């Protein structure tokens, strides 16, 4: 079981690097959905003696439904209606983005063991995976021009916050976790409306065109 949990954490980090190197929006959305499904399995894989199985099931089910299914469906609908398939000219190239992501992963694994944690029995890969995923999401948000790519970056960033939250899953009330997932859903819904209006006004989802509004 321990080796399987290690594999899940490693796959989450590999997905972070793949997203930084990918220009295909459809493949990126599918990959984010897979990452969401992997993260949904973590509460069940990490549950141990003295933990509440019902709490873990509720957290896993909510994460799978929202991160692994509903939000990817919304994103596919957005790129289909906008008729876009690729992120062509990012602010930072795909290879440099992946190199920056790799540096972040190395630093996360090097320094995470020195952080004070609320739970001494936490899995060794949990914190570095969370830090790596937050870093990858932040890179996607600031280095991409397409609104769809930036929304995906926001989702990846939130996935990292979700992994951090697993440290507190025993003390975090269910309603707070439900509120976090609801905030994520609301944010993606609002950003979907913004993407619709950008595409309608400029026939493009390039966020740099928003600067024309100041003229």
């Amino acid at each position: 079981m321990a080796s399987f949990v290690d594999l899940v954490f490693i796959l989450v980090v590999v997905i972070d690097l793949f997203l930084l190197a990918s220009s295909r929006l459809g493949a990126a959305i599918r990959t984010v959905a897979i990452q969401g499904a992997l993260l949904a399995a973590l509460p069940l894989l990490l549950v141990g003696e003295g933990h509440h199985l019902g709490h873990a099931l509720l957290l896993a089910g909510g994460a799978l439904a929202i991160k692994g299914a509903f939000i990817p469906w919304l994103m596919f609908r957005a790129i289909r209606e906008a008729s876009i398939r690729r992120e062509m000219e990012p602010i930072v190239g795909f290879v440099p983005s992946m190199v920056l992501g790799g540096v972040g992963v190395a630093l996360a694994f090097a320094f995470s063991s020195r952080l004070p944690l609320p739970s001494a029995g936490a899995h060794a890969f949990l914190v570095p995976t969370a830090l790596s995923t937050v870093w990858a999401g932040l890179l996607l948000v600031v280095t991409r021009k397409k609104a769809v790519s930036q929304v995906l970056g926001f989702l990846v960033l939130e996935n990292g916050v979700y992994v951090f939250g697993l440290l507190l899953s025993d003390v975090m009330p269910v309603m707070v976790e439900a509120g976090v997932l609801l905030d994520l859903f609301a944010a993606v819904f609002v950003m979907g409306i913004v993407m619709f209006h950008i595409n309608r006004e400029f026939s493009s989802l390039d966020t740099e065109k928003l600067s024309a509004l100041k003229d």
Side-chain angles (χ1 to χ4, degrees):
M1 176 65 78
S3 59
F4 184 71
V5 176
D6 293 348
L7 178 61
V8 171
F9 280 119
I10 292 171
L11 286 175
V12 170
V13 174
V14 171
I15 285 174
D16 293 338
L17 298 178
F18 173 81
L19 290 170
L20 291 169
S22 177
S23 65
R24 294 178 179 274
L25 296 176
I29 294 171
R30 290 189 191 90
T31 307
V32 170
I34 293 171
Q35 188 178 59
L38 290 172
L39 295 180
L42 279 179
L44 298 176
L45 295 173
L46 296 175
V47 69
E49 294 184 1
H51 292 72
H52 300 289
L53 180 59
H55 189 184
L57 283 170
L58 186 62
L59 184 59
L64 180 62
I66 295 179
K67 296 173 181 290
F70 188 65
I71 291 178
W73 176 76
L74 287 177
M75 298 302 297
F76 271 118
R77 183 176 178 182
I79 65 170
R80 185 170 59 250
E81 293 189 2
S83 300
I84 57 171
R85 295 292 180 268
R86 286 177 177 269
E87 172 81 41
M88 297 301 293
E89 297 178 348
I91 298 172
V92 177
F94 298 107
V95 173
S97 296
M98 192 171 63
V99 171
L100 288 172
V103 171
V105 170
L107 291 175
F109 275 85
F111 295 107
S112 61
S113 60
R114 303 178 186 179
L115 297 176
L117 300 177
S119 176
H123 193 283
F125 288 175
L126 198 151
V127 174
T129 301
L131 290 174
S132 302
T133 305
V134 168
W135 174 239
L138 186 62
L139 282 175
L140 285 170
V141 170
V142 301
T143 64
R144 300 297 189 259
K145 292 181 181 178
K146 298 293 186 186
V148 174
S149 298
Q150 293 174 351
V151 173
L152 290 175
F154 175 74
L155 292 175
V156 173
L157 193 155
E158 196 281 333
N159 283 344
V161 175
Y162 171 87
V163 177
F164 260 127
L166 293 179
L167 284 171
L168 307 171
S169 61
D170 287 340
V171 296
M172 185 183 294
V174 173
M175 290 304 295
V176 175
E177 294 166 1
V180 172
L181 291 175
L182 183 61
D183 287 345
L184 175 64
F185 169 72
V188 172
F189 184 75
V190 171
M191 294 175 83
I193 295 174
V194 172
M195 285 191 293
F196 170 75
H197 286 288
I198 294 175
N199 187 56
R200 188 181 65 178
E201 294 295 329
F202 303 109
S203 299
S204 170
L205 285 181
D206 190 336
T207 54
E208 285 197 333
K209 294 184 181 297
L210 289 175
S211 60
L213 294 176
K214 67 183 180 182
D215 298 329

